[in-house]
Amino acid sequence: MKIVSAKVIVCSPGRNFVTLKLETDAGVYGLGDATLNGREKAVVAYLEEHCLPALIGRDARNIEDIWHYFYRGAYWRRGPVTMTAISAIDMALWDIKGKALGTPLYNLLGGKSRERVMVYAHATGKELGDAVDAVGKARDEGFVAIRVQSSVPGVASSYGVPKGDRAYEPAQKGVAEEQVWETAPYLRYLPKLMDRVRSTYGFDFHLLHDVHHRCTPSQAARLAKAMEPFDLFWLEDPVAGELQEGLRMIRKHSTTPIAIGEVFNSIYDYTTLITEQLIDYVRMPIVHGGGITHLQKVAALAAVYHVQMGFHGATDLSPINFAASLHFDLAVNNFGVQEYMPHVDPAFDVFKVNYKFERGYCTIDDKPGIGVEIDEEKAKKYPYVAASLPVARRTDGTMFHW
Ligand code: EZ4
Ligand code: CO
């Protein structure tokens, strides 16, 4: 089954998405997500200039070999751009395999370990009361796992809080917006927010929070300890991901579960964290972490150490990635939770999806392969818009982690 054509489709139905379409001489085609928020064109160029010419003519059935061809075959390996390109190729090949065999992806990954996938909602507020209300709203919608974020009093801009009444989308048109952040007031504020959430709604639901890389190791250790009375499902990205040693300090002081790695892109980002049992959940998504082929290896390593999967699922990952994640979540034994941020309507004008949300869980139908379709004519109605993620500075102007 030879790959006869490969093309990259860039569209912006509400936000930018990069999609890879591979066609075979058997008439079966596959789709893969290649979206890297704010760096979309770098992946497009890497695919078009460096990968796709070498892909034409290869046997689409040999997914493992093709993966290693693009991973080992690139002397300059790893990194988000390269790995996102490999992920897209890998997803499209698994989509082809499923379609060729007439079976959904989860069957190729070992079959269903569960019938539905627990997802967590985003509850966000411009102030403490709003955030608490947003948790109540998510509970009313049936969510059993909820991430809460809110603005911090006295801090100009906080991660995860939308402007006006729009849905939260961190990337903004043009060059990066510069935001102002300070960690100390946040450290004082977060326990108050969590206390109010738990005292209002009790403990019979999973509560999550994303620190978004904004603590030093000792601040993170202090925060994780302060979170213990609130029984978090996880504290996400407490320190910047590249400082792996930072996780040791958190573990010394607290048993609050830790999730990390939405910015990671290979198993080597995780080997120390998993084998030293410094984390509880893997966040690296299929779209940035080398695709299904590589995530299977990460999930297997994680399983040995009783670490669970908790895929990143923000709206800047396309519906193709979300569907692939649900197949994976259904299949692996060590599944924890899946992030769920519904896409805005125009995205569903372009992508026809095979999953649905119902009372706290997502299910996926049994269409072969990944099962999401793209309407290429509709995609043309939504041309690419250059956009960037914000950057953050401290109040004195020092560049900081966003
Ligand atoms: O900021 O995907 O847990 N979710 C997150 C996301 C990330 C965005 C960056 O593009 O941290 O909202
Ligand atoms: Co995050």
Side-chain angles (χ1 to χ4, degrees):
M1 191 193 284
K2 281 201 166 52
I3 299 166
V4 291
S5 88
K7 83 168 157 191
V8 180
I9 302 158
V10 182
C11 62
S12 194
R15 59 156 311 101
N16 292 322
F17 294 115
V18 180
T19 305
L20 176 67
K21 181 174 186 179
L22 300 182
E23 288 175 310
T24 65
D25 59 3
V28 183
Y29 69 91
L31 299 174
D33 182 18
T35 310
L36 183 62
N37 199 6
R39 294 290 184 270
E40 294 88 355
K41 290 293 184 85
V43 182
V44 174
Y46 191 81
L47 277 167
E48 290 182 344
E49 303 293 327
H50 306 294
C51 300
L52 302 187
L55 194 56
I56 304 297
R58 280 176 204 283
D59 190 331
R61 293 173 299 188
N62 299 337
I63 301 177
E64 183 78 10
D65 181 66
I66 291 176
W67 194 93
H68 285 278
Y69 179 86
F70 287 107
Y71 181 80
R72 292 172 199 254
Y75 184 64
W76 315 108
R77 62 180 64 162
R78 298 166 63 192
V81 174
T82 310
M83 295 306 283
T84 301
I86 295 178
S87 303
I89 294 169
D90 188 76
M91 262 186 258
L93 293 175
W94 281 98
D95 194 28
I96 288 171
K97 194 176 286 293
K99 286 171 178 161
L101 297 173
T103 195
L105 175 60
Y106 62 76
N107 266 336
L108 304 176
L109 304 180
K112 284 187 184 176
S113 287
R114 56 195 61 75
E115 287 303 319
R116 51 194 192 148
V117 172
M118 181 170 76
V119 296
Y120 70 87
H122 284 202
T124 305
K126 290 193 180 31
E127 53 180 49
L128 194 143
D130 295 343
V132 174
D133 290 349
V135 171
K137 190 168 163 271
R139 278 169 58 77
D140 293 344
E141 289 166 6
F143 282 97
V144 292
I146 301 165
R147 180 190 100 156
V148 65
Q149 309 288 139
S150 108
S151 297
V152 179
V155 176
S157 43
S158 302
Y159 158 74
V161 183
K163 292 205 179 99
D165 293 330
R166 283 179 299 167
Y168 178 67
E169 281 292 351
Q172 300 295 325
K173 256 191 201 173
V175 297
E177 179 197 350
E178 301 207 358
Q179 301 183 341
V180 180
W181 169 260
E182 207 59 61
T183 302
Y186 162 75
L187 293 176
R188 290 192 294 270
Y189 173 72
L190 196 66
K192 289 182 198 148
L193 172 63
M194 293 308 188
D195 186 36
R196 187 85 96 72
V197 170
R198 283 306 196 196
S199 56
T200 307
Y201 304 110
F203 283 77
D204 67 340
F205 66 101
H206 300 303
L207 185 58
L208 300 81
H209 177 74
D210 190 348
V211 182
H212 221 255
H213 327 274
R214 293 176 179 200
C215 286
T216 63
S218 71
Q219 286 173 331
R222 193 146 60 89
L223 185 65
K225 203 158 118 184
M227 289 296 106
E228 284 184 356
F230 313 116
D231 190 20
L232 296 198
F233 184 92
W234 80 33
L235 190 65
E236 178 183 339
D237 288 332
V239 291
E242 61 266 41
L243 183 61
Q244 310 229 322
E245 296 81 352
L247 275 297
R248 293 197 187 111
M249 189 178 288
I250 301 171
R251 277 295 205 238
K252 268 189 212 150
H253 297 280
S254 162
T255 54
T256 291
I258 303 297
I260 201 161
E262 69 184 33
V263 301
F264 289 1
N265 51 68
S266 101
I267 196 168
Y268 298 104
D269 294 322
Y270 273 115
T271 43
T272 303
L273 299 183
I274 291 175
T275 60
E276 288 191 25
Q277 305 194 67
L278 300 178
I279 59 168
D280 300 275
Y281 296 94
V282 165
R283 292 278 291 152
M284 183 168 80
I286 291 171
V287 57
H288 302 147
I292 291 146
T293 298
H294 200 52
L295 259 309
Q296 281 189 296
K297 285 152 191 160
V298 176
L301 177 67
V304 173
Y305 292 90
H306 298 198
V307 170
Q308 294 177 293
M309 304 304 288
F311 282 137
H312 188 204
T315 38
D316 46 272
L317 320 179
S318 97
I320 299 169
N321 175 77
F322 190 70
S325 305
L326 291 179
H327 285 285
F328 200 99
D329 297 337
L330 281 176
V332 290
N333 173 268
N334 56 327
F335 166 70
V337 73
Q338 169 69 53
E339 183 176 16
Y340 175 59
M341 231 183 130
H343 290 98
V344 292
D345 286 344
F348 300 115
D349 196 23
V350 173
F351 296 97
K352 297 292 162 244
V353 304
N354 55 340
Y355 52 80
K356 61 173 195 280
F357 169 79
E358 223 170 12
R359 311 273 331 147
Y361 294 80
C362 277
T363 53
I364 195 154
D365 71 20
D366 53 6
K367 278 196 195 64
I370 294 173
V372 173
E373 295 305 328
I374 188 166
D375 185 327
E376 292 182 56
E377 287 312 308
K378 294 236 175 96
K380 286 180 192 149
K381 289 194 335 199
Y382 302 97
Y384 168 76
V385 181
S388 311
L389 285 170
V391 298
R393 290 186 187 275
R394 295 189 56 184
T395 38
D396 69 356
T398 311
M399 273 299 292
F400 195 61
H401 310 278
W402 175 68

